[in-house]
Structures are given as structure tokens and as C-alpha cells.
Amino acid sequence: MLELFHRFDIHATWAIVGMLYCENKRELLDSLPSLRPNYENSNFSPYKKLNDVGKNEGEDPFHYAKSLIRKIEKYPNQEIATHTFSHYYCLEKGQNEKSFEADLQAALKIANANGHVVKSLVFPRNQSNQSYLQVCKKYGIQCFRGNELSWPYRASRFHKEGVMKRALRLLDSYLNVCGHDTYPIFEVETEPIVNLPSSRFLRPYIAKLKILEPLRLRRIKKSITHAAQKGEVFHLWWHPHNFGKDIEENIQFLTEILQLVSKLRSEYDFESLSMGEASALVLKMNG
């Protein structure tokens, strides 16, 4: 992905879970916030699973990622953002503003210790909690990734998703059910921090749905083209691990998208911006 972003001059934001900065188990335990969420569903808490975490990245590459973070640092125009310290769920029962604040403090502390000044935040599972945005502002967070404006994408608790919402989101990945979800940058909300809504989740390749792949690609390409022609924002996102299976197919799919972005850059001056860069532009336009 980094090589592709460099090849096509893509400015991307990498939202990193704070725990992944740690080099070993000792550093991980020393970095934990004193106040932690007490989720009613204990499966949401990584703190309950710390006994299963290995000593370091060499022994346990699934729970440490210092080497990957250092790789991202080496590439130009890649922003390091936070995904909270513990992959914190902001809408689940058993947590509150104080435990969120403690988690954010821990995330920023370990990022700062590694030379990163964090300005952007991505809420895990898109559980953006409006009442926590003032806390984000207090600690220097400038922007967050908001949810798409359409109903199926509204933030909700894990078990409140509903079959209908999930089905509509899946269908919307292949057909234009909910619109392009692009928007003019001057209409972006700025208080208490900048809200940069998502436009599209880049779903991974699914072998069973291979016949629908042209529809999925066409759906994204049409929305990106719409944004370029209208001078609007198209916010594409995904998890790096979404490419962990069928890597070749996923990378080829991404390559075709970035080739279009490169073409639109020449035709419409379509820019690639990280979340931090986009929010800085929003704030500049708002004086």
C-alpha cells in the first residue's frame, strides 16, 4: 500500500491503536491508563486479554506493530493519526467520558513519545460520540472521521446494527442506493472539531462475489469522478488487514482506483489530502 501511495502521490492517514506502539510486554503494561472502560460486554475490552499477549513483536506480531509504524514514517505525505489507545468503543455500555479521556491521554502520550504530533482521530467501529468531541479538542485533536450522512451508516452500538442496516450497506457497495456521499469542503462542520465524513468503505475482495467486482469498482469510480467534477470531497477508508486475504486482488483493485485519481488530478486538479491536511484547509477557509 505504501508503495502504491508513493507511486501515485497519495496523501493518506493511518489511524493507529496506541497499544501497537509498544515494543514489549513491559512497555505495554507501563503505558496502560489507570482508568479503563468497564464494558458490560467484556469481549470488547483488550485489558481482559493481556495475559494472552506475547513478549514482543518477534514473538507476537499480531499485538505489536512498531516496525510497521516506522515503515509508514519513512514514506512522504503519510499522516499518523490515533485510533484511540485500546480500540475504545465510545457508544457501548460500561464506559464514560472520563475513561475515554484517560484512554485518549494514553494514546497521545505514547504517540508523542515516538515523535508524532497527532491531529486526527478515527473512532473504532465509527462509534463517534458527539459528547466526547470536546475532550478531543481539549487535547489538540483537530478532526475526526465522521459517518456517512445516509441512514444505514449512522453510528450505533455493536448489537444495535440490525440486519436491514448491514444489508443496505452491502448493497450500497455495489449499487448507488444511498448516493455518492461526497460533499463540498466549505460545508464541513468545524465545531467542536472538524468532522470529515466518510464517503465509502473499501470492502475487501470476496471470492464468492467475484462476479460483482466490476459493479463494486464502478460504484467507487463513479463517486470519485462525481467528486472531482463537482469540486467536492470523497473520503475513502479501509483497514489494512482487509487486504490480508486475497492480497493480489485487493492491491489490483486499489491500483485501478488510484489510476483514476491520477487521471482526475490532471483533468480537474483533484487533490489527494490526508485528514490533517483536509481539516487544515477547512479551518483556513473558515478564517
Side-chain angles (χ1 to χ4, degrees):
M1 284 184 214
L2 285 167
E3 284 296 325
L4 274 183
F5 291 163
H6 184 54
R7 174 183 165 191
F8 290 101
D9 191 22
I10 299 300
H11 297 210
T13 295
W14 299 78
I16 297 172
V17 172
M19 286 182 168
L20 296 179
Y21 275 100
C22 299
E23 290 195 76
N24 52 56
K25 188 71 169 283
R26 182 73 267 158
E27 183 182 5
L28 174 60
L29 295 176
D30 289 344
S31 301
L32 303 182
S34 57
L35 184 61
R36 304 165 196 171
N38 186 27
Y39 301 117
E40 285 190 7
N41 185 338
S42 62
N43 288 324
F44 293 150
S45 176
Y47 301 110
K48 308 288 186 181
K49 306 176 180 71
L50 290 178
N51 288 336
D52 299 327
V53 175
K55 294 180 181 179
N56 51 47
E57 189 175 358
E59 179 183 301
D60 183 359
F62 297 112
H63 292 102
Y64 301 90
K66 191 70 165 278
S67 66
L68 300 181
I69 296 169
R70 293 301 180 215
K71 279 186 178 181
I72 296 169
E73 285 179 335
K74 293 178 181 179
Y75 283 78
N77 304 313
Q78 305 303 300
E79 177 191 17
I80 300 293
T82 184
H83 202 35
T84 71
F85 182 78
S86 64
H87 207 261
Y88 191 101
Y89 297 116
C90 293
L91 294 179
E92 300 300 335
K93 294 181 179 179
Q95 55 80 38
N96 55 41
E97 186 174 311
K98 288 185 177 180
S99 57
F100 171 73
E101 183 171 4
D103 184 278
L104 183 59
Q105 285 178 309
L108 297 180
K109 181 178 179 181
I110 198 165
N112 292 341
N114 282 272
H116 300 150
V117 178
V118 176
K119 293 293 184 182
S120 306
L121 180 147
V122 173
F123 288 102
R125 291 197 63 83
N126 284 337
Q127 290 189 6
S128 52
N129 191 324
Q130 290 296 313
S131 64
Y132 293 1
L133 297 183
Q134 285 290 354
V135 176
C136 295
K137 184 174 184 178
K138 175 182 176 181
Y139 290 96
I141 298 297
Q142 183 171 279
C143 68
F144 72 102
R145 186 187 73 209
N147 295 69
E148 289 98 317
L149 302 178
S150 305
W151 169 76
Y153 297 97
R154 289 177 187 170
S156 61
R157 291 175 181 163
F158 186 82
H159 294 296
K160 296 292 184 180
E161 286 282 83
V163 175
M164 180 63 73
K165 285 181 71 173
R166 292 196 297 269
L168 280 173
R169 288 201 299 263
L170 178 61
L171 183 61
D172 192 43
S173 297
Y174 298 95
L175 301 173
N176 190 344
V177 175
C178 298
H180 293 299
D181 276 318
T182 62
Y183 49 91
I185 199 163
F186 56 80
E187 290 185 0
V188 167
E189 296 176 8
T190 60
E191 292 296 335
I193 61 176
V194 176
N195 176 5
L196 297 169
S198 162
S199 298
R200 179 71 39 207
F201 168 54
L202 180 57
R203 289 182 178 273
Y205 173 87
I206 301 175
K208 291 181 179 179
L209 299 178
K210 180 180 179 180
I211 194 172
L212 299 178
E213 283 297 278
L215 285 179
R216 185 167 71 96
L217 183 60
R218 181 173 177 268
R219 172 78 168 107
I220 293 176
K221 282 187 171 184
K222 276 191 167 293
S223 292
I224 294 176
T225 302
H226 174 85
Q229 292 173 338
K230 297 291 185 179
E232 295 185 344
V233 176
F234 180 84
H235 189 167
L236 184 67
W237 70 277
W238 67 96
H239 308 93
H241 72 254
N242 293 142
F243 282 30
K245 185 180 179 182
D246 301 310
I247 295 175
E248 185 176 336
E249 288 84 358
N250 283 309
I251 289 294
Q252 180 56 40
F253 194 95
L254 179 60
T255 301
E256 292 194 46
I257 291 172
L258 300 188
Q259 286 172 336
L260 174 63
V261 171
S262 181
K263 178 174 178 286
L264 295 174
R265 180 184 288 128
S266 299
E267 293 180 3
Y268 299 100
D269 292 326
F270 194 50
E271 292 184 84
S272 173
L273 300 174
S274 66
M275 286 176 59
E277 291 169 333
S279 61
L281 179 59
V282 168
L283 293 173
K284 181 180 179 181
M285 292 176 67
N286 282 271

